[in-house]
Amino acid sequence: MMCCAACGTAEADDIKLMRCTACKSVRYCSVKCQKEHRRQHKKECKKRAAELHDEILFKQPDSTHLGDCPICFIPLSLDLDKSIMMSCCSKVICKGCQYANNLRIEDERIQHSCPFCRKPTVEIDEECDKLNMKRIEVNDPAAMSQKGSEQFKKGDHQSAFQYFTKASGLGDVEAHFKLSYLYSKGHGVEKDKGKYLHHMEQAAIGGHPFARFSLACSEGGNGRHDRGVKHLTIAANLGHDKSLDSLKKLFSNGLLSKEDFAAALRGHQAAIDAMKSPQRKAAEIAGV
């Protein structure tokens, strides 16, 4: 039976207990009881909340933040030159599927169209911008994040910050990563270490290997090498080359066991192999 941690009142049909939102381990019958129990519970709450946070932070993601190509369902490469975002539907397509679509168009002598949504493709930048804005108007987070990147390249950091903020609120992992950079440098917003860390961790949780690598560097710089190794291992298992190179240096210096390094090698190779396909190889040979 669940009881209020402060007064001992048991939960019943007419009494619903509220869970502590930080540690989620105790319950209260009222806000008054929660406030009265705060001083007694604070230390244990903070400890348990940190444990819960680390459980989420250091969980191995099923895939990178890029996910799979929506056509061939093979994981997208971390090399962004091997994929393309379609302005009509904001889908990121691998170059293998783009190449296959181009061959189909040439063979059938039909109008160029998107490999995913089949809408006619446009080549003029102004038309692409219009299509992207249409996606933004319907709250497409990928389109917002893309627009934020474009604004950042133009030097309009405040506009970039606004797009990234809205996109991250809709769950875009790349936007979290870009926001962490803005907060760390003070571009378009005041510097804020707390918000930098929050967005970097959200990106890492979402499968962003570059965010993992950044967190590993920060942890190593702060002397928390065990946490840094965890981040590097997770990133290596997602196919991130720099993280594997860092683990290799740690192993060479006797700071990582042979077993752990071997496991990271296997995980990294498995991730790289999963991103390959004959279609993508053909596109690479063709120079697509």
Side-chain angles (χ1 to χ4, degrees), residues 3 7 15 18 24 44 49 69 83 85 89 92-93 114 119 122 133 158 174 194 198 221 233 239 243 248 250 281:
C3 301
C7 67
I15 301 176
M18 304 177 297
K24 306 186 188 308
E44 184 62 31
C69 171
S83 60
M85 175 181 276
C89 56
V92 179
I93 311 296
C114 171
K119 290 181 180 178
V122 294
M133 289 307 298
Q158 288 188 334
E174 182 66 23
H198 166 74
T233 302
S243 293
K248 183 178 181 180
L250 291 173
K281 184 64 177 178

Side-chain angles (χ1 to χ4, degrees), residues 247-266:
L247 289 173
K248 183 178 181 180
K249 290 178 182 177
L250 291 173
F251 171 66
S252 298
N253 293 327
L255 300 174
L256 185 68
S257 70
K258 181 179 180 180
E259 292 76 15
D260 288 342
F261 181 55
L265 273 174
R266 291 192 296 269

Side-chain angles (χ1 to χ4, degrees), residues 157-268:
H157 297 156
Q158 288 188 334
S159 179
F161 173 76
Q162 293 172 359
Y163 279 114
F164 289 143
T165 299
K166 191 168 184 180
S168 66
L170 293 170
D172 189 84
V173 176
E174 182 66 23
H176 277 295
F177 182 65
K178 295 291 179 60
L179 270 179
S180 68
Y181 178 81
L182 295 182
Y183 276 115
S184 69
K185 300 297 182 181
H187 292 325
V189 66
E190 290 186 13
K191 287 185 178 182
D192 191 316
K193 289 184 178 180
K195 291 182 178 179
Y196 152 76
L197 182 60
H198 166 74
H199 287 290
M200 190 66 79
E201 288 184 341
Q202 288 302 307
I205 291 169
H208 203 301
F210 301 98
R212 285 281 175 193
F213 184 75
S214 295
L215 288 173
C217 293
S218 296
E219 295 288 13
N222 292 329
R224 299 191 288 189
H225 300 291
D226 289 346
R227 294 174 67 87
V229 168
K230 288 181 180 179
H231 284 304
L232 291 173
T233 302
I234 291 172
N237 287 334
L238 293 174
H240 190 241
D241 295 337
K242 283 189 175 181
S243 293
L244 184 65
D245 290 341
S246 295
L247 289 173
K248 183 178 181 180
K249 290 178 182 177
L250 291 173
F251 171 66
S252 298
N253 293 327
L255 300 174
L256 185 68
S257 70
K258 181 179 180 180
E259 292 76 15
D260 288 342
F261 181 55
L265 273 174
R266 291 192 296 269
H268 178 269

